[in-house]
Amino acid sequence: MTGKETAPLVGVLLGYAPTPEKAQQIVDAHHRCPYCVSYRSAGQMVTGVFSMPPDYHWWLQWVAEAPEETLGLESAAVHFPKAVEALSPWARGEARPNLEQAPCGADCRECPRYGKECEGCPATVYYLGSPVLD
C-alpha cells in the first residue's frame, strides 16, 4: 500500500475487571466514546470494538500496556483484525467537537499524550483534528 492509510483502524479490546460491578462501570463510562462501535461486559470480562483513525494503534494498545491506569482493568489484550470493518460514530462522520468534557469523563488537556500523538477526543471543543475521515 502506498500513501497515508485513510480507512478506519478496527481494534478489539478484551479486558478483565476486578469485579463484575467494575466491568459494568467501565462500560457505562466509556460506551459513548466516539470511536466505540460496541462495548459490553459479561461478569468480569469487558469486550469492546473500536473504529478509530488509522494512526491511532497506540491509543488502544495503551490500554493493553497500562490497563489499570487507563481504564481500571486488571488485565487487557487488544487485537487489530485486518479483514473486519466496523464504523463508530467518528468513522460515520457523526462526532462533533462541541462538548467541554469527553463523553467518558476524561479531560484530554490533562493527558500527557494530548497535542503530541493524540489530537484529543473528537467530541470535545479541544479536539485538534478533523471531525471526519479525510
Side-chain angles (χ1 to χ4, degrees):
M1 178 174 281
T2 60
K4 185 178 177 185
E5 181 71 32
T6 58
L9 173 67
V10 174
V12 177
L13 166 70
L14 302 171
Y16 189 78
T19 66
E21 294 78 20
K22 179 65 175 176
Q24 189 59 51
Q25 288 173 356
I26 291 167
V27 169
D28 289 345
H30 296 92
H31 78 277
R32 290 181 307 274
C33 170
Y35 300 134
C36 183
V37 175
S38 174
Y39 218 175
R40 304 282 184 260
S41 70
Q44 290 173 261
M45 288 297 301
V46 171
T47 306
V49 177
F50 299 87
S51 177
M52 61 204 122
D55 57 349
Y56 265 42
H57 182 274
W58 68 268
W59 183 77
L60 201 51
Q61 191 62 43
W62 190 15
V63 176
E65 294 168 3
E68 188 173 337
E69 173 190 340
T70 56
L71 292 181
L73 294 166
E74 287 185 352
S75 62
V78 296
H79 304 279
F80 297 95
K82 299 287 186 213
V84 174
E85 292 183 25
L87 296 177
S88 61
W90 168 83
R92 291 189 304 265
E94 297 170 2
R96 297 288 177 249
N98 56 9
L99 300 176
E100 288 290 323
Q101 189 171 31
C104 67
D107 184 343
C108 296
R109 298 169 299 166
E110 294 179 9
C111 178
R113 296 185 179 210
Y114 178 66
K116 297 174 181 76
E117 66 262 62
C118 187
E119 297 174 330
C121 176
T124 70
V125 295
Y126 306 107
Y127 185 53
L128 302 172
S130 166
V132 295
L133 286 173
D134 296 336

